[in-house]
Amino acid sequence: MEIILSGIRSTGQLHLGNYFGAIRNFVKLQHTHNCYFFIADYHSLTTHPTPENLQANVTQVLVEYLASGLDPEKATIYIQSDVPEVCELYLLLTMNAYVGELERCTSFKEKIRKQPNNVNSGLLTYPVLMAADILLHKAHKVPVGKDQEQHLEMARTFAGRFNRLYNNDYFPSPKAFNFGDALVKIPGLDGSTKMGKSEGDANAIYLADSEKTIHKKIMRAVTDSGPEKPNQEKAQAIQNLFDIMTVVSDKQTIAFFEEAYSKCTIRYGDMKKQLAADVYKFIEPIGNRIRELNQKPEFIREVADYGAEKARKSARKTISEVREIIGFRTV
Ligand code: TYM
């Protein structure tokens, strides 16, 4: 059976981009596949959170996973640092990851720009730890958004190199995956091409946002002065609103505003009101479950313990096989 794995960094609340890039696929696949979904808290250390922030963020992400429909009885849902076997695989993979290729990675270059005073080596080897996450359970498919494409390519490189070095086909070649479609990239409300948690609060719609907050954020989203001639090409900020509409609104609504845009009769205020209503309709049940689960810390702890136990079983098997392949003492 194909193995599916994905994860999200524990750096704050989940947003629509996380949902449509990764979680949505998972909610579907967990019924038919062997699925692992984890919270990347080791990865979050690259930005040096305080212990209180780290703990609160991990719990928050776990609550939001469950609220989004991930089922701990169907999928293995765990916290990365509960499965320290990943650190050993990470170390072993670093021996075949070349500094030059890590330095060329787009996300590393971006991080250097964003946090010039904290260019730690964890940022450089970030893709190796991510490859270790994936290969630890020998995953075939990795549901992610478009921004993770290069990391997946690197995971394939490291897996292939390991297999060639030891002359076997131990690790499958993991593929970035989106249900029946191209990888998605949900844009931001501030006119930027990506919704992200580090882009500021006016950019993202969080799964826990209230109706009022959603309305306020969308009504303030960047627009332009409107189309001046029929079938005019859309500015990025306008395209962004249409792109978000594509994932939450029905076909007739989208067609209505597309036509209004191409005929220059569109009123952005009306479009935003409709978009805010559709986003809220989509998010409301998830938000309600988040608030319910926030009242059940014991249940959340049990879910984490149960997931850790299942994930460690699979991890221990891989580590023991990898040690044997490399030639470490087995008895
Ligand atoms: P992270 O935490 O930045 O994002 C988690 C997931 O959400 C997707 N995503 C988006 N998809 C579409 N549009 C967006 N605007 C958007 N923003 C985020 C991301 O593509 C991702 O799927 N390195 C990873 C976490 C990770 C991981 C892994 C993922 C660590 N190890 C192993 C898969 C497998 C990250 O930082 O994702």
Side-chain angles (χ1 to χ4, degrees):
M1 186 194 272
E2 272 190 325
I3 295 171
I4 317 289
L5 173 138
S6 198
I8 294 186
R9 261 173 313 142
S10 57
T11 42
Q13 294 182 317
L14 303 189
H15 52 70
L16 279 185
N18 299 136
Y19 185 87
F20 288 104
I23 297 177
R24 176 185 51 165
N25 288 287
F26 224 81
V27 171
K28 287 190 200 167
L29 289 164
Q30 64 184 348
H31 302 286
T32 47
H33 290 73
N34 186 3
C35 287
Y36 294 85
F37 209 80
F38 73 99
I39 299 166
D41 57 347
Y42 282 140
H43 276 110
S44 76
L45 297 186
T46 55
T47 55
H48 296 175
T50 63
E52 294 75 24
N53 277 342
L54 180 67
Q55 170 99 60
N57 284 341
V58 168
T59 308
Q60 186 63 30
V61 175
L62 184 50
V63 161
E64 296 191 5
Y65 274 179
L66 299 174
S68 300
L70 295 187
D71 181 346
E73 293 298 334
K74 299 215 160 91
T76 299
I77 304 169
Y78 67 99
I79 300 164
Q80 189 184 32
S81 63
D82 280 344
V83 186
E85 285 79 4
V86 75
C87 299
E88 184 167 351
L89 187 56
Y90 162 64
L91 175 93
L92 299 173
L93 292 174
T94 57
M95 307 302 167
N96 299 323
Y98 298 110
V99 173
E101 67 192 340
L102 296 173
E103 282 172 338
R104 282 193 297 277
C105 179
T106 314
S107 62
F108 178 62
K109 290 190 203 154
E110 238 169 59
K111 284 289 179 190
I112 294 183
R113 258 200 316 275
K114 274 194 186 154
Q115 52 182 75
N117 299 323
N118 180 17
V119 184
N120 57 72
S121 61
L123 284 177
L124 183 70
T125 56
Y126 186 107
V128 190
L129 180 55
M130 185 160 157
D133 292 325
I134 298 168
L135 301 177
L136 190 63
H137 303 291
K138 301 177 75 179
H140 301 92
K141 286 185 179 158
V142 185
V144 284
K146 186 134 184 68
D147 59 314
Q148 297 297 319
E149 211 168 21
Q150 191 180 30
H151 287 154
L152 259 294
E153 198 181 313
M154 294 173 89
R156 281 195 293 281
T157 301
F158 303 145
R161 235 175 243 162
F162 180 94
N163 289 351
R164 276 194 299 283
L165 183 63
Y166 296 105
N167 201 18
N168 62 33
D169 56 1
Y170 184 71
F171 286 125
S173 192
K175 306 269 181 322
F177 177 80
N178 182 40
F179 231 94
D181 226 333
L183 300 183
V184 298
K185 186 169 172 185
I186 303 294
L189 293 174
D190 56 358
S192 68
T193 56
K194 191 185 159 195
M195 186 174 283
K197 29 196 165 200
S198 49
E199 322 298 323
D201 270 354
N203 164 291
I205 299 164
Y206 297 108
L207 300 182
D209 277 348
S210 67
E211 185 171 13
K212 206 165 138 201
T213 304
I214 292 169
H215 187 80
K216 209 156 76 189
K217 282 184 182 174
I218 293 181
M219 293 315 282
R220 283 186 190 158
V222 176
T223 49
D224 58 14
S225 52
E228 284 159 5
K229 54 179 195 295
N231 303 317
Q232 186 177 313
E233 200 178 316
K234 298 186 188 91
Q236 184 67 51
I238 308 303
Q239 186 59 51
N240 288 356
L241 294 181
F242 275 96
D243 286 352
I244 298 175
M245 219 173 211
T246 308
V247 291
V248 292
S249 301
D250 59 40
K251 286 202 177 79
Q252 292 95 307
T253 306
I254 300 167
F256 173 82
F257 287 106
E258 283 286 3
E259 194 185 337
Y261 184 88
S262 62
K263 288 185 174 161
C264 304
T265 55
I266 192 160
R267 289 158 55 135
Y268 291 140
D270 292 348
M271 181 182 180
K272 285 174 164 182
K273 266 189 218 149
Q274 181 69 47
L275 183 60
D278 290 346
V279 165
Y280 184 63
K281 197 166 139 206
F282 173 79
I283 274 181
E284 188 186 13
I286 299 179
N288 288 342
R289 281 196 296 272
I290 292 175
R291 287 176 278 281
E292 262 169 47
L293 287 164
N294 274 336
Q295 308 305 315
K296 298 181 179 169
E298 226 160 82
F299 171 67
I300 300 301
R301 249 195 316 276
E302 277 169 26
V303 168
D305 289 346
Y306 182 54
E309 203 181 301
K310 285 201 281 179
R312 284 197 86 172
K313 205 164 151 210
S314 147
R316 278 198 213 103
K317 182 167 182 293
T318 304
I319 288 297
S320 130
E321 288 166 356
V322 166
R323 288 179 71 101
E324 193 174 336
I325 291 171
I326 290 180
F328 287 120
R329 190 164 69 88
T330 53
V331 284

